[in-house]
Coordinates of all heavy atoms in Angstrom, one line a residue:
M1 N 126.0 52.4 185.7 CA 126.5 53.6 185.1 C 125.2 54.6 184.7 O 124.3 54.0 184.5 CB 127.4 53.4 184.0 CG 128.8 53.4 184.3 SD 129.8 54.0 182.9 CE 130.5 52.6 182.3
F2 N 125.5 55.8 184.7 CA 124.4 56.6 184.2 C 125.0 57.5 183.0 O 126.1 57.6 182.8 CB 124.2 57.6 185.4 CG 125.3 58.4 185.9 CD1 125.5 59.6 185.4 CD2 126.1 57.9 187.0 CE1 126.6 60.4 185.9 CE2 127.2 58.7 187.4 CZ 127.4 60.0 186.9
K3 N 124.0 57.9 182.3 CA 124.1 58.5 181.1 C 124.1 60.1 181.4 O 123.3 60.5 182.0 CB 123.3 58.3 180.0 CG 123.5 57.1 179.1 CD 122.5 56.9 178.1 CE 122.8 55.8 177.2 NZ 122.0 55.8 176.0
R4 N 125.1 60.7 180.7 CA 125.1 62.1 180.9 C 124.6 62.8 179.5 O 125.0 62.2 178.5 CB 126.5 62.8 181.3 CG 126.9 62.3 182.7 CD 128.3 62.9 182.9 NE 128.7 62.4 184.2 CZ 129.7 63.0 184.8 NH1 130.3 64.1 184.5 NH2 130.1 62.4 185.9
Q5 N 124.1 63.9 179.6 CA 123.8 64.6 178.4 C 125.0 65.6 178.2 O 125.1 66.6 178.7 CB 122.6 65.5 178.6 CG 121.3 64.9 177.9 CD 120.1 65.9 178.0 OE1 119.9 66.6 179.0 NE2 119.4 65.9 176.9
V6 N 125.8 65.1 177.2 CA 127.0 65.9 176.8 C 126.5 66.8 175.7 O 126.0 66.5 174.7 CB 128.1 65.0 176.4 CG1 129.3 65.8 175.9 CG2 128.4 64.1 177.5
Q7 N 126.9 68.2 175.9 CA 126.7 69.2 174.9 C 127.9 70.0 174.6 O 128.7 70.2 175.7 CB 125.6 70.2 175.4 CG 124.1 69.6 175.3 CD 123.1 70.5 175.9 OE1 123.4 71.5 176.7 NE2 121.9 70.5 175.3
S8 N 128.1 70.5 173.6 CA 129.2 71.3 173.2 C 129.0 72.7 173.9 O 128.0 73.1 174.2 CB 129.4 71.4 171.7 OG 128.5 72.2 171.2
I9 N 130.1 73.5 174.0 CA 130.1 74.7 174.6 C 129.3 75.6 173.7 O 128.5 76.5 174.2 CB 131.6 75.3 174.9 CG1 132.1 74.3 176.0 CG2 131.5 76.6 175.3 CD1 133.5 74.7 176.4
S10 N 129.6 75.5 172.4 CA 128.8 76.5 171.4 C 127.2 76.3 171.6 O 126.5 77.2 171.6 CB 129.2 76.3 170.1 OG 128.8 75.0 169.6
D11 N 126.8 75.0 171.8 CA 125.4 74.7 171.9 C 124.8 75.4 173.3 O 123.8 75.9 173.3 CB 125.2 73.3 171.9 CG 125.2 72.6 170.5 OD1 125.3 73.5 169.5 OD2 125.4 71.4 170.4
L12 N 125.7 75.2 174.3 CA 125.3 75.7 175.7 C 125.3 77.3 175.5 O 124.3 77.9 176.1 CB 126.3 75.3 176.7 CG 126.0 73.8 177.1 CD1 127.2 73.5 178.0 CD2 124.7 73.5 177.7
L13 N 126.2 77.9 174.9 CA 126.3 79.3 174.9 C 125.1 79.9 174.0 O 124.4 80.8 174.4 CB 127.6 79.8 174.2 CG 127.9 81.3 174.1 CD1 127.7 81.9 175.5 CD2 129.1 81.6 173.6
Q14 N 124.8 79.2 173.0 CA 123.6 79.5 172.0 C 122.3 79.5 172.9 O 121.6 80.4 172.8 CB 123.6 78.7 170.9 CG 122.7 79.1 169.8 CD 123.1 80.3 169.0 OE1 124.3 80.7 169.2 NE2 122.3 80.9 168.2
Q15 N 122.2 78.5 173.7 CA 121.1 78.3 174.5 C 120.8 79.3 175.5 O 119.8 79.9 175.8 CB 121.1 76.8 175.2 CG 119.9 76.5 176.0 CD 120.0 75.1 176.5 OE1 120.9 74.5 176.4 NE2 118.8 74.7 177.1
V16 N 122.0 79.8 176.2 CA 122.0 80.8 177.2 C 121.5 82.1 176.5 O 120.8 82.9 177.1 CB 123.4 80.8 177.9 CG1 123.5 82.2 178.7 CG2 123.6 79.6 178.9
L17 N 122.3 82.4 175.4 CA 122.0 83.7 174.8 C 120.4 83.7 174.4 O 119.8 84.8 174.5 CB 122.7 83.8 173.5 CG 124.3 84.1 173.8 CD1 125.0 84.0 172.4 CD2 124.4 85.5 174.5
R18 N 119.9 82.6 173.9 CA 118.5 82.6 173.5 C 117.6 82.8 174.7 O 116.6 83.5 174.7 CB 118.2 81.2 172.7 CG 116.7 81.2 172.2 CD 116.5 80.0 171.4 NE 117.4 79.9 170.2 CZ 118.3 79.0 169.9 NH1 118.4 77.8 170.6 NH2 119.1 79.0 169.0
N19 N 117.9 82.1 175.8 CA 117.1 82.1 177.0 C 117.1 83.6 177.6 O 116.1 84.0 178.2 CB 117.5 81.2 178.1 CG 117.3 79.7 177.7 OD1 116.4 79.4 176.7 ND2 117.8 78.8 178.3
E20 N 118.1 84.2 177.5 CA 118.4 85.6 178.0 C 117.9 86.8 177.2 O 118.0 88.0 177.5 CB 119.9 85.9 178.5 CG 120.3 84.9 179.6 CD 119.6 85.1 180.9 OE1 119.3 86.2 181.3 OE2 119.3 84.1 181.5
G21 N 117.6 86.4 176.0 CA 117.1 87.4 175.0 C 118.1 88.1 174.3 O 118.0 89.2 173.8
L22 N 119.3 87.6 174.3 CA 120.5 88.3 173.7 C 120.9 87.8 172.3 O 121.8 88.3 171.7 CB 121.7 88.1 174.7 CG 121.5 88.7 176.1 CD1 122.6 88.3 176.9 CD2 121.3 90.2 176.0
E23 N 120.2 86.8 171.9 CA 120.6 86.2 170.6 C 120.4 87.1 169.4 O 121.3 87.4 168.6 CB 119.8 84.8 170.4 CG 120.2 84.1 169.0 CD 119.5 82.8 168.8 OE1 118.3 82.8 169.2 OE2 119.9 82.0 168.2
M24 N 119.2 87.7 169.3 CA 118.9 88.7 168.2 C 119.8 89.9 168.3 O 120.3 90.2 167.3 CB 117.5 89.0 168.3 CG 117.0 89.8 167.1 SD 117.4 89.1 165.4 CE 116.1 88.0 165.3
P25 N 120.0 90.5 169.4 CA 120.9 91.8 169.3 C 122.3 91.4 168.9 O 122.9 92.2 168.3 CB 120.9 92.2 170.9 CG 119.6 91.7 171.4 CD 119.3 90.5 170.7
L26 N 122.6 90.3 169.3 CA 124.1 89.8 168.9 C 124.1 89.6 167.4 O 125.1 90.0 166.8 CB 124.5 88.6 169.7 CG 125.9 88.0 169.4 CD1 127.0 89.0 169.7 CD2 126.2 86.7 170.1
Q27 N 123.2 89.0 166.9 CA 123.0 88.8 165.3 C 123.0 90.1 164.7 O 123.6 90.3 163.6 CB 121.8 87.9 165.1 CG 122.2 86.4 165.4 CD 120.9 85.7 165.1 OE1 119.7 86.1 165.1 NE2 121.1 84.2 165.1
Q28 N 122.1 91.1 165.3 CA 122.1 92.4 164.6 C 123.4 93.1 164.6 O 123.9 93.7 163.5 CB 120.9 93.2 165.3 CG 119.8 92.8 165.1 CD 118.6 93.5 165.9 OE1 118.9 94.3 166.8 NE2 117.4 93.3 165.5
K29 N 124.2 93.0 165.7 CA 125.5 93.6 165.8 C 126.5 93.0 164.8 O 127.2 93.7 164.1 CB 126.0 93.4 167.2 CG 127.6 93.9 167.3 CD 127.6 95.3 167.7 CE 129.0 95.7 168.2 NZ 129.9 96.2 167.1
R30 N 126.4 91.7 164.6 CA 127.3 91.1 163.7 C 127.0 91.4 162.3 O 127.9 91.7 161.5 CB 127.1 89.5 163.8 CG 127.8 89.0 165.0 CD 127.7 87.4 165.1 NE 128.3 86.9 166.3 CZ 127.9 85.6 166.7 NH1 127.0 84.9 166.1 NH2 128.6 85.3 167.8
L31 N 125.6 91.5 162.0 CA 125.2 92.0 160.6 C 125.6 93.4 160.3 O 126.2 93.7 159.2 CB 123.6 91.9 160.5 CG 123.2 92.1 159.1 CD1 122.1 91.0 158.8 CD2 122.5 93.5 159.0
V32 N 125.4 94.3 161.2 CA 125.9 95.7 161.0 C 127.5 95.9 160.8 O 128.0 96.5 159.9 CB 125.4 96.6 162.2 CG1 126.0 98.0 162.1 CG2 123.9 96.8 162.1
D33 N 128.1 95.0 161.7 CA 129.6 95.0 161.5 C 130.0 94.3 160.3 O 131.2 94.6 159.8 CB 130.2 94.2 162.7 CG 130.1 95.1 163.9 OD1 129.8 96.1 164.0 OD2 130.4 94.5 165.1
S34 N 129.3 93.5 159.6 CA 129.7 92.9 158.4 C 129.5 93.6 157.1 O 129.7 93.2 156.0 CB 129.0 91.4 158.2 OG 127.6 91.6 158.1
W35 N 128.8 94.8 157.3 CA 128.5 95.7 156.1 C 129.8 96.0 155.1 O 129.7 95.8 154.0 CB 128.0 97.0 156.6 CG 127.6 97.9 155.4 CD1 128.5 99.1 155.2 CD2 126.9 98.0 154.3 NE1 128.0 99.8 154.1 CE2 127.0 98.9 153.5 CE3 125.8 97.0 153.9 CZ2 126.3 99.1 152.3 CZ3 125.1 97.1 152.7 CH2 125.3 98.3 152.0
E36 N 130.8 96.4 155.9 CA 132.1 96.7 155.0 C 132.6 95.4 154.3 O 133.0 95.6 153.1 CB 133.2 97.1 156.0 CG 134.3 97.6 155.2 CD 135.5 98.3 156.1 OE1 135.1 98.7 157.2 OE2 136.6 98.4 155.6
T37 N 132.5 94.3 154.9 CA 133.0 93.0 154.2 C 132.0 92.6 153.0 O 132.6 92.3 152.0 CB 132.9 91.9 155.2 OG1 133.7 92.2 156.3 CG2 133.5 90.7 154.6
V38 N 130.6 92.8 153.2 CA 129.7 92.5 152.2 C 129.7 93.5 151.0 O 129.7 93.1 149.8 CB 128.4 92.3 152.8 CG1 127.3 92.1 151.7 CG2 128.3 91.0 153.7
A39 N 129.7 94.8 151.5 CA 129.6 95.8 150.5 C 130.9 96.2 149.8 O 131.0 96.7 148.6 CB 129.0 97.1 151.1
G40 N 132.0 96.0 150.5 CA 133.3 96.3 149.9 C 133.9 97.6 150.6 O 133.1 98.4 151.0
P41 N 135.2 97.7 150.5 CA 135.8 98.9 151.2 C 135.4 100.2 150.5 O 135.4 101.2 151.1 CB 137.2 98.5 151.2 CG 137.4 97.6 150.2 CD 136.1 96.8 150.1
V42 N 135.3 100.2 149.1 CA 135.0 101.4 148.4 C 133.6 101.9 148.8 O 133.4 103.2 149.1 CB 135.0 101.2 146.9 CG1 134.6 102.4 146.1 CG2 136.4 100.8 146.5
I43 N 132.6 101.1 148.9 CA 131.2 101.5 149.3 C 131.3 101.8 150.7 O 130.5 102.8 151.1 CB 130.2 100.4 149.0 CG1 130.1 100.2 147.4 CG2 128.9 100.7 149.5 CD1 129.3 99.1 146.9
A44 N 131.9 101.2 151.5 CA 132.0 101.5 152.9 C 132.5 102.8 153.3 O 132.1 103.4 154.2 CB 132.7 100.3 153.7
K45 N 133.5 103.2 152.3 CA 134.0 104.6 152.5 C 132.9 105.7 152.5 O 133.1 106.8 153.1 CB 135.1 104.8 151.5 CG 135.9 106.1 151.7 CD 137.0 106.0 150.7 CE 136.6 106.3 149.3 NZ 137.7 106.5 148.4
Y46 N 131.8 105.4 151.7 CA 130.8 106.5 151.5 C 129.7 106.3 152.5 O 128.6 106.9 152.4 CB 130.2 106.4 150.1 CG 131.3 106.9 149.0 CD1 132.0 106.0 148.3 CD2 131.5 108.1 148.9 CE1 132.9 106.4 147.3 CE2 132.4 108.7 148.0 CZ 133.3 107.7 147.1 OH 134.1 108.2 146.3
T47 N 129.8 105.3 153.5 CA 128.8 105.1 154.4 C 129.0 105.6 155.7 O 130.2 105.7 156.1 CB 128.8 103.3 154.7 OG1 128.6 102.8 153.4 CG2 127.8 103.1 155.7
K48 N 128.1 106.3 156.3 CA 128.1 106.9 157.5 C 127.7 106.3 158.6 O 128.3 105.6 159.4 CB 127.6 108.3 157.4 CG 128.4 109.4 156.8 CD 127.9 110.7 157.0 CE 129.0 111.7 157.0 NZ 128.7 113.1 157.4
N49 N 126.3 106.2 158.8 CA 125.6 105.6 159.9 C 124.9 104.3 159.4 O 124.4 104.4 158.4 CB 124.6 106.6 160.5 CG 125.3 107.7 161.2 OD1 126.3 107.6 161.7 ND2 124.5 108.8 161.1
K50 N 125.0 103.3 160.4 CA 124.2 102.0 160.1 C 123.5 101.7 161.4 O 124.1 101.6 162.5 CB 125.2 101.0 159.6 CG 126.1 101.4 158.5 CD 127.2 100.3 158.3 CE 128.2 100.2 159.3 NZ 129.3 101.0 159.3
F51 N 122.3 101.3 161.2 CA 121.6 100.8 162.4 C 120.4 99.9 161.9 O 119.8 100.0 160.7 CB 121.1 101.8 163.4 CG 120.1 102.8 162.8 CD1 118.8 102.6 162.9 CD2 120.5 103.9 162.1 CE1 117.8 103.5 162.3 CE2 119.6 104.9 161.6 CZ 118.3 104.5 161.7
I52 N 119.8 99.0 162.9 CA 118.7 98.1 162.5 C 117.6 98.6 163.4 O 117.8 98.8 164.6 CB 119.0 96.6 162.8 CG1 120.2 96.3 161.8 CG2 117.9 95.9 162.5 CD1 120.6 94.8 162.0
K53 N 116.4 98.8 162.7 CA 115.2 99.1 163.4 C 114.1 98.3 162.8 O 113.9 98.5 161.7 CB 115.0 100.6 163.4 CG 113.7 101.1 164.3 CD 113.6 102.5 164.1 CE 112.4 102.9 165.0 NZ 112.2 104.4 165.0
N54 N 113.4 97.6 163.7 CA 112.1 96.8 163.1 C 112.5 95.9 161.9 O 111.9 95.8 160.8 CB 111.0 97.7 162.8 CG 110.5 98.4 163.9 OD1 110.5 97.9 165.0 ND2 109.9 99.6 163.5
Q55 N 113.6 95.2 162.0 CA 114.1 94.2 161.1 C 114.4 94.8 159.8 O 114.5 94.3 158.7 CB 113.2 93.0 160.9 CG 113.1 92.3 162.2 CD 112.2 91.1 162.1 OE1 111.1 91.2 161.4 NE2 112.4 90.0 162.7
T56 N 114.7 96.3 159.7 CA 115.2 97.0 158.6 C 116.5 97.6 158.8 O 116.8 98.3 159.9 CB 114.2 98.0 158.3 OG1 112.9 97.3 157.9 CG2 114.6 98.8 157.0
L57 N 117.5 97.4 158.0 CA 118.8 97.8 158.0 C 118.8 99.3 157.4 O 118.4 99.5 156.2 CB 119.8 97.0 157.4 CG 121.3 97.6 157.3 CD1 121.8 97.6 158.8 CD2 122.0 96.7 156.5
F58 N 119.1 100.3 158.1 CA 119.1 101.7 157.7 C 120.5 102.1 157.5 O 121.4 101.9 158.3 CB 118.5 102.6 158.6 CG 117.1 102.5 158.7 CD1 116.5 101.7 159.6 CD2 116.2 103.3 158.0 CE1 115.1 101.6 159.7 CE2 114.8 103.2 158.0 CZ 114.2 102.3 158.9
I59 N 120.9 102.6 156.1 CA 122.2 103.0 155.9 C 122.4 104.4 155.4 O 121.6 104.7 154.4 CB 122.9 101.9 154.9 CG1 122.9 100.5 155.5 CG2 124.3 102.4 154.5 CD1 123.3 99.5 154.5
Q60 N 123.1 105.3 155.9 CA 123.2 106.6 155.4 C 124.5 106.6 154.5 O 125.5 106.3 154.8 CB 123.4 107.5 156.7 CG 123.6 109.0 156.2 CD 123.9 110.0 157.3 OE1 124.2 109.5 158.5 NE2 123.8 111.2 157.1
L61 N 124.2 107.1 153.3 CA 125.2 107.3 152.2 C 125.4 108.7 152.0 O 124.4 109.5 151.9 CB 124.8 106.5 151.0 CG 124.5 104.9 151.1 CD1 123.8 104.4 150.0 CD2 125.9 104.3 151.4
V62 N 126.7 109.0 151.7 CA 127.0 110.5 151.3 C 126.9 110.7 149.9 O 127.0 111.9 149.4 CB 128.4 110.8 151.9 CG1 128.3 110.8 153.5 CG2 129.4 110.0 151.3
N63 N 126.7 109.7 149.0 CA 126.7 109.9 147.5 C 125.3 109.4 147.1 O 125.0 108.2 147.1 CB 127.8 109.0 147.0 CG 128.1 109.2 145.5 OD1 127.1 109.5 144.9 ND2 129.3 109.0 145.1
P64 N 124.6 110.3 146.4 CA 123.2 110.1 145.9 C 123.3 109.1 144.8 O 122.4 108.2 144.7 CB 122.7 111.4 145.4 CG 123.6 112.4 146.0 CD 124.9 111.8 146.2
A65 N 124.3 109.1 143.9 CA 124.4 108.1 142.8 C 124.5 106.6 143.4 O 124.0 105.7 142.9 CB 125.6 108.6 141.9
L66 N 125.4 106.5 144.4 CA 125.7 105.2 145.1 C 124.4 104.7 145.7 O 124.1 103.7 145.7 CB 126.8 105.4 146.1 CG 127.2 104.1 146.7 CD1 127.7 103.2 145.7 CD2 128.2 104.4 147.9
R67 N 123.5 105.7 146.3 CA 122.3 105.3 146.9 C 121.4 104.6 145.7 O 120.8 103.7 146.1 CB 121.6 106.6 147.5 CG 120.4 106.3 148.2 CD 119.8 107.5 148.8 NE 120.8 108.3 149.5 CZ 121.0 109.7 149.4 NH1 120.1 110.4 148.6 NH2 121.8 110.3 150.0
Q68 N 121.4 105.2 144.6 CA 120.4 104.7 143.6 C 121.2 103.3 143.1 O 120.4 102.4 143.0 CB 120.5 105.6 142.4 CG 119.6 105.1 141.2 CD 118.1 105.0 141.8 OE1 117.6 105.7 142.5 NE2 117.3 103.9 141.1
D69 N 122.4 103.1 143.0 CA 122.9 102.0 142.6 C 122.7 100.9 143.6 O 122.3 99.7 143.1 CB 124.4 102.1 142.5 CG 125.1 101.7 141.2 OD1 124.3 101.6 140.3 OD2 126.3 101.6 141.1
L70 N 122.9 101.1 145.0 CA 122.6 100.1 145.9 C 121.2 99.9 146.0 O 120.9 98.6 146.4 CB 123.2 100.5 147.2 CG 124.8 100.6 147.2 CD1 125.2 101.2 148.7 CD2 125.4 99.3 147.0
S71 N 120.3 100.7 145.8 CA 118.8 100.4 145.9 C 118.6 99.3 144.9 O 117.5 98.5 145.1 CB 118.0 101.7 145.5 OG 118.2 102.5 146.6
M72 N 119.1 99.3 143.7 CA 118.9 98.2 142.8 C 119.5 96.8 143.2 O 119.0 95.9 142.7 CB 119.4 98.7 141.3 CG 118.6 99.7 140.8 SD 119.0 100.0 139.1 CE 120.3 101.2 139.4
Q73 N 120.4 96.9 144.1 CA 121.0 95.6 144.5 C 120.6 95.2 145.9 O 121.3 94.4 146.6 CB 122.6 95.8 144.6 CG 123.2 96.2 143.2 CD 124.7 96.4 143.4 OE1 125.4 95.9 144.4 NE2 125.2 97.1 142.5
K74 N 119.5 95.8 146.4 CA 119.1 95.7 147.7 C 118.9 94.2 148.1 O 119.3 93.7 149.2 CB 117.7 96.5 147.8 CG 117.3 96.6 149.3 CD 116.1 97.4 149.8 CE 115.4 98.1 148.7 NZ 114.3 98.9 149.1
T75 N 118.2 93.4 147.3 CA 117.8 92.1 147.6 C 119.1 91.2 147.7 O 119.2 90.4 148.7 CB 116.9 91.4 146.5 OG1 115.7 92.3 146.4 CG2 116.6 90.0 146.8
D76 N 120.0 91.3 146.8 CA 121.3 90.7 146.8 C 122.0 91.0 148.1 O 122.6 90.1 148.8 CB 122.2 90.9 145.6 CG 123.4 90.1 145.7 OD1 123.3 88.9 145.9 OD2 124.5 90.7 145.4
L77 N 122.1 92.3 148.5 CA 122.8 92.7 149.6 C 122.2 92.1 150.9 O 123.0 91.7 151.9 CB 122.9 94.2 149.8 CG 123.8 94.9 148.8 CD1 123.5 96.4 148.8 CD2 125.3 94.7 149.1
M78 N 120.9 92.2 151.0 CA 120.2 91.7 152.1 C 120.4 90.1 152.3 O 120.7 89.7 153.4 CB 118.7 91.9 151.9 CG 117.8 91.7 153.1 SD 116.2 92.2 152.8 CE 115.8 91.5 151.1
N79 N 120.3 89.5 151.2 CA 120.6 88.0 151.2 C 122.1 87.6 151.7 O 122.3 86.8 152.6 CB 120.4 87.3 150.0 CG 119.0 87.4 149.6 OD1 118.0 87.3 150.6 ND2 118.6 87.2 148.3
R80 N 123.0 88.5 151.2 CA 124.5 88.2 151.6 C 124.6 88.5 153.1 O 125.4 87.9 153.8 CB 125.3 89.0 150.7 CG 125.4 88.3 149.3 CD 126.1 89.2 148.2 NE 127.4 89.8 148.6 CZ 127.9 90.8 148.0 NH1 127.3 91.4 146.9 NH2 128.9 91.3 148.4
L81 N 124.1 89.6 153.6 CA 124.3 90.0 155.0 C 123.6 89.0 155.9 O 124.2 88.7 156.9 CB 123.6 91.4 155.2 CG 124.4 92.6 154.6 CD1 123.5 93.8 154.6 CD2 125.6 92.8 155.5
N82 N 122.4 88.6 155.5 CA 121.8 87.5 156.4 C 122.6 86.1 156.3 O 122.7 85.5 157.4 CB 120.3 87.3 155.8 CG 119.4 88.3 156.3 OD1 119.5 89.0 157.5 ND2 118.4 88.6 155.6
A83 N 123.3 85.8 155.2 CA 124.1 84.6 155.1 C 125.2 84.7 156.0 O 125.7 83.8 156.7 CB 124.5 84.5 153.6
V84 N 125.9 85.9 156.2 CA 127.0 86.1 157.1 C 126.8 85.8 158.5 O 127.4 85.1 159.1 CB 127.5 87.5 156.8 CG1 128.6 87.8 157.9 CG2 128.1 87.7 155.5
V85 N 125.5 86.3 158.8 CA 125.0 86.0 160.3 C 124.6 84.6 160.4 O 124.6 84.1 161.5 CB 123.9 87.1 160.6 CG1 123.5 86.7 161.9 CG2 124.5 88.5 160.5
G86 N 124.0 84.0 159.5 CA 123.4 82.6 159.5 C 122.0 82.6 159.8 O 121.5 81.6 160.3
A87 N 121.4 83.8 159.9 CA 119.8 83.8 160.2 C 119.2 85.0 159.4 O 119.9 85.8 158.9 CB 119.7 84.0 161.8
K88 N 117.9 84.9 159.4 CA 117.1 86.0 158.7 C 116.9 87.0 159.7 O 116.0 87.2 160.5 CB 115.7 85.4 158.1 CG 115.1 86.2 157.3 CD 115.6 86.4 156.0 CE 114.6 87.1 155.1 NZ 115.1 87.2 153.7
V89 N 117.9 88.0 159.8 CA 117.8 89.1 160.8 C 117.1 90.3 160.2 O 116.3 91.0 161.0 CB 119.3 89.4 161.1 CG1 119.2 90.7 162.0 CG2 119.9 88.3 161.8
I90 N 117.3 90.6 158.9 CA 116.7 91.8 158.3 C 115.8 91.3 157.2 O 116.1 90.4 156.5 CB 117.9 92.9 157.8 CG1 118.8 92.3 156.8 CG2 118.4 93.5 159.0 CD1 119.6 93.3 156.1
Y91 N 114.8 92.2 156.9 CA 113.9 91.9 155.7 C 113.8 93.0 154.8 O 113.2 92.9 153.7 CB 112.5 91.6 156.4 CG 112.4 90.2 157.0 CD1 112.6 90.2 158.5 CD2 112.1 89.2 156.3 CE1 112.5 89.0 159.1 CE2 112.1 88.0 157.0 CZ 112.2 87.9 158.4 OH 112.1 86.7 159.1
D92 N 114.7 94.1 155.1 CA 114.6 95.2 154.1 C 115.9 96.1 154.4 O 116.4 96.0 155.6 CB 113.3 96.1 154.3 CG 113.1 97.0 153.1 OD1 113.8 96.9 152.1 OD2 112.4 97.9 153.4
I93 N 116.2 96.8 153.4 CA 117.3 97.8 153.6 C 116.9 99.2 153.1 O 116.3 99.1 152.0 CB 118.6 97.4 152.8 CG1 119.1 96.1 153.4 CG2 119.7 98.5 152.9 CD1 120.4 95.5 152.4
K94 N 117.1 100.1 153.9 CA 116.7 101.6 153.5 C 118.0 102.3 153.4 O 118.8 102.3 154.2 CB 115.8 102.2 154.4 CG 114.4 101.4 154.6 CD 113.5 101.7 153.6 CE 112.1 101.2 154.0 NZ 111.2 101.1 152.9
F95 N 118.1 103.1 152.3 CA 119.4 104.0 152.1 C 118.9 105.4 152.2 O 117.8 105.7 151.5 CB 120.0 103.7 150.8 CG 120.6 102.2 150.6 CD1 119.7 101.5 149.8 CD2 121.6 101.8 151.1 CE1 120.2 100.0 149.7 CE2 122.1 100.5 151.0 CZ 121.5 99.6 150.3
Y96 N 119.5 106.1 153.0 CA 119.1 107.5 153.1 C 120.2 108.4 153.2 O 121.4 108.0 153.1 CB 118.3 107.7 154.4 CG 119.0 107.5 155.8 CD1 119.5 108.7 156.4 CD2 119.2 106.2 156.3 CE1 120.2 108.6 157.6 CE2 119.9 106.1 157.4 CZ 120.4 107.3 158.2 OH 121.1 107.1 159.3

């Protein structure tokens, strides 16, 4: 008899994504999509644009007071967003 290397489908999919260079873009998309869940629906209502550039999450807010409030919670928000994705995707958050 011969031994087979048995792998789960999730492990194989993860390996294919990594080999094709698609793992990080997928994680970035998940992180941006999780903003409403992490920040909450009230804060998400005042959010316009969200994108990641150079491992920094940029978030456009329509309320200046909220911008100041969230700036003070930046580290906590960053840790919670990275935890949702399960990887260190962003290292900073900029509110504009």
Side-chain angles (χ1 to χ4, degrees):
M1 260 214 259
F2 57 92
K3 277 189 171 180
R4 294 183 185 198
Q5 252 187 328
V6 179
Q7 292 181 324
S8 70
I9 290 178
S10 69
D11 291 342
L12 288 172
L13 184 58
Q14 192 73 12
Q15 185 178 6
V16 168
L17 289 172
R18 188 173 295 126
N19 290 344
E20 296 298 320
L22 299 173
E23 183 180 33
M24 185 58 76
L26 181 62
Q27 289 175 339
Q28 290 176 345
K29 171 87 170 92
R30 286 182 185 158
L31 188 133
V32 169
D33 290 346
S34 68
W35 171 253
E36 186 173 338
T37 306
V38 171
V42 174
I43 293 173
K45 188 170 73 172
Y46 293 103
T47 302
K48 282 193 152 195
N49 296 323
K50 306 173 293 276
F51 63 93
I52 296 176
K53 183 176 181 183
N54 296 331
Q55 296 178 325
T56 300
L57 176 63
F58 290 87
I59 300 174
Q60 183 180 10
L61 298 170
V62 295
N63 187 332
L66 183 61
R67 186 179 309 132
Q68 182 62 32
D69 234 17
L70 292 177
S71 291
M72 289 189 269
Q73 300 176 22
K74 187 175 6 181
T75 304
D76 182 47
L77 286 169
M78 189 172 47
N79 291 336
R80 288 172 41 203
L81 286 165
N82 283 326
V84 167
V85 176
K88 189 80 171 170
V89 176
I90 59 170
Y91 290 91
D92 195 13
I93 299 176
K94 301 277 186 194
F95 300 103
Y96 68 99

